[in-house]
Amino acid sequence: MLGYIVGAAFLLLAAVAVVWGAFAIRKLARLNARFKNAIVLIPLYKRYKWQFVMPALMLAVLIGDIVYMALAKAPSDYMVGAGLIVIVVMLSAVMAMMMLTKCAVLDSGIVVPYRFIEWTEPYDYKIEGTSIIFMGDAEGFDTLGAATTRLSFDDANSDKLKFILERHRNR
């Protein structure tokens, strides 16, 4: 009986993962559409620390799950295995979309990892060498929720980037 409860919990988690993944993929697709439909003023580049580790980890979990299902004896084990496969596939799809999302300063705003900052939104930024971080504002408003990872840009675009950001920030 406990096995069926655990199996049902994994199937429920798989359903939640599918719903969450669909919303995340939809949001990232809209972000990519904004990027494609705008004029790129200055491209920004994400630093991929995990771009090779995470797919390898997902593949290892998927292989382990397939082995688990091959050795399974009870029907509840198949429920757990099926739930894990759905979760891993959905996480892999979201991760692939995240890796394909590009960042840039556009004519209509700023595309940062996983969100779009309109020129009318309050924001602040910090430039260190050829890296930039965007955040809520200098007084700390929404900084924790709005801070981005460190993005890099070409050194030749440094003055142009500062000019564009200052011009739009002071509106």
Side-chain angles (χ1 to χ4, degrees):
M1 181 65 180
L2 180 64
Y4 287 109
I5 294 172
V6 171
F10 269 89
L11 291 178
L12 181 65
L13 283 174
V16 169
V18 167
V19 170
W20 168 81
F23 282 115
I25 288 172
R26 182 175 169 219
K27 180 180 178 181
L28 291 169
R30 285 182 177 175
L31 197 59
N32 285 334
R34 277 198 168 191
F35 183 86
K36 288 178 184 175
N37 295 329
I39 299 170
V40 176
L41 301 177
I42 299 172
L44 302 173
Y45 307 103
K46 297 182 282 190
R47 296 181 181 184
Y48 291 111
K49 294 179 184 175
W50 297 100
Q51 76 179 18
F52 298 112
V53 176
M54 288 308 291
L57 180 64
M58 291 291 182
L59 183 64
V61 170
L62 190 61
I63 290 171
D65 187 43
I66 292 170
V67 169
Y68 173 76
M69 286 183 67
L71 300 175
K73 296 179 181 166
S76 61
D77 293 340
Y78 292 112
M79 292 169 61
V80 170
L84 275 175
I85 285 177
V86 170
I87 292 169
V88 168
V89 167
M90 188 50 68
L91 287 175
S92 298
V94 170
M95 186 176 49
M97 281 295 290
M98 289 169 63
M99 287 181 179
L100 293 174
T101 303
K102 296 178 182 176
C103 300
V105 175
L106 307 174
D107 59 339
S108 58
I110 308 166
V111 176
V112 294
Y114 329 122
R115 84 179 253 245
F116 182 76
I117 301 173
E118 304 247 1
W119 290 125
T120 57
E121 287 182 47
Y123 70 92
D124 197 13
Y125 64 91
K126 182 176 182 180
I127 295 178
E128 294 175 350
T130 58
S131 298
I132 187 166
I133 299 172
F134 293 96
M135 58 199 99
D137 65 16
E139 287 77 39
F141 174 75
D142 198 26
T143 299
L144 291 177
T148 65
T149 58
R150 193 175 297 273
L151 301 168
S152 60
F153 57 90
D154 291 331
D155 194 29
N157 292 330
S158 181
D159 293 333
K160 182 179 173 183
L161 178 64
K162 289 176 189 173
F163 174 77
I164 292 169
L165 293 177
E166 283 299 319
R167 191 178 96 206
H168 286 290
R169 182 167 60 169
N170 294 329
R171 281 189 176 183

